[in-house]
Amino acid sequence: MLLQEEREQVIITQADLNKPVYEAVKRIFDALFSLLALAVLSPLFLITAIAVKSDGGKAIYKQIRIGKNNKPFYMYKFRSMCPDAEHMQDELMKYNEMDGPVFKIKNDPRITKVGKFIRKYSIDELPQLVNILKGDMSIVGPRPPLPNEVMQYNEYQLQRLWVVPGLTCFWQAYGRSSLSFEDWMDMDMKYIKRRGILLDLSLIFRTIYAVLFKRGAY
């Protein structure tokens, strides 16, 4: 984990953002991959939806997230929490284990029994393949933040909104929930600075490894 006094902030330039060939190839790959994955994983979607419904409430949960250039969109997930989870967050805020504007706690009492399993293997995130197909998200990119989180961003952190958000990213692949908020931000900036097809492919494979061995997931 980086020490605060050792941090060197990464400044994103126009040259880092102006990658038309990469962006075009990435969009084609995203569309083809998400379409294929939705077809192949359709039985898993059905099984998961039935299991989630058995806990009560809707199977699919949609939430407003902030995308590229501060544009809001609905992000989809399999519901892993009880129906009134958002209303319970204020009461649980004192147990928050994350720094910055992010809320996360281990053994969150709002998570259902089915939710614990699908979170462990990131199955809850699979409906975001629809977001990728629509173009709201990419397979690789900074994770899309909540509106209230963005309101607390400083100028440096706002740079992560200059690219399309992703299903996975540097910190998802290398640490997931075990990293600090500042580490998340630094790793997102480094990704934007270095992004390319080979890096994207390496992060996809690294994420699969992290999910299978449940590194930092909660």
Side-chain angles (χ1 to χ4, degrees):
M1 188 174 295
L2 298 172
L3 296 176
Q4 186 66 37
E5 60 270 18
E6 295 176 348
R7 293 185 187 278
E8 293 183 10
Q9 291 190 340
V10 178
I11 304 303
I12 308 302
T13 66
Q14 189 58 42
D16 299 321
L17 301 173
N18 188 23
K19 297 182 178 181
V21 175
Y22 162 70
E23 295 282 2
V25 172
K26 182 172 185 170
R27 179 60 196 140
I28 293 171
F29 179 77
D30 282 344
L32 292 176
F33 181 90
S34 58
L35 193 60
L36 178 62
L38 283 167
V40 171
L41 296 173
S42 56
L44 178 60
F45 271 67
L46 178 60
I47 293 169
T48 304
I50 293 172
V52 172
K53 284 286 290 182
S54 71
D55 267 340
K58 296 181 179 179
I60 298 293
Y61 172 74
K62 67 178 184 178
Q63 186 179 52
I64 294 178
R65 295 293 180 111
I66 304 300
K68 182 179 179 181
N69 297 326
N70 221 24
K71 182 180 178 180
F73 68 95
Y74 279 111
M75 188 185 81
Y76 305 111
K77 299 181 72 173
F78 281 118
R79 185 179 54 81
S80 61
M81 293 187 175
C82 58
D84 58 344
E86 290 187 358
H87 299 108
M88 296 171 63
Q89 184 166 318
D90 288 341
E91 300 175 18
L92 297 169
M93 191 61 71
K94 59 185 176 184
Y95 302 113
N96 189 16
E97 298 174 15
M98 286 296 297
D99 57 343
V102 180
F103 176 80
K104 275 188 180 294
I105 57 174
K106 290 181 180 179
N107 302 316
D108 193 325
R110 301 173 299 168
I111 301 176
T112 65
K113 290 181 179 180
V114 173
K116 288 180 181 179
F117 179 83
I118 63 175
R119 280 190 168 213
K120 183 182 292 186
Y121 293 99
S122 296
I123 296 172
D124 62 318
E125 308 285 2
L126 290 180
Q128 287 157 50
L129 289 167
V130 175
N131 290 117
I132 295 170
L133 187 61
K134 290 170 60 180
D136 298 327
M137 294 173 61
S138 178
I139 297 170
V140 182
R143 288 293 293 161
L146 292 162
N148 67 302
E149 293 173 358
V150 173
M151 290 176 63
Q152 300 176 64
Y153 279 4
N154 57 34
E155 188 174 350
Y156 173 67
Q157 294 157 357
L158 284 169
Q159 292 181 119
R160 71 194 299 270
L161 301 179
W162 293 352
V163 297
V164 177
L167 178 64
T168 189
C169 58
F170 250 131
W171 51 266
Q172 285 276 76
Y174 283 89
R176 305 181 80 190
S177 300
S178 60
L179 297 170
S180 72
F181 175 74
E182 291 300 329
D183 286 337
W184 289 7
M185 296 297 103
D186 288 341
M187 294 176 90
D188 281 344
M189 303 312 166
K190 288 175 183 177
Y191 168 74
I192 296 172
K193 196 81 173 175
R194 295 168 49 190
R195 65 200 178 113
I197 297 299
L198 291 180
L199 177 58
D200 285 354
L201 289 174
S202 70
L203 290 175
I204 290 170
F205 287 116
R206 184 80 188 191
T207 300
I208 293 172
Y209 174 85
V211 169
L212 291 177
F213 290 93
K214 304 179 287 295
R215 294 176 62 247
Y218 67 85

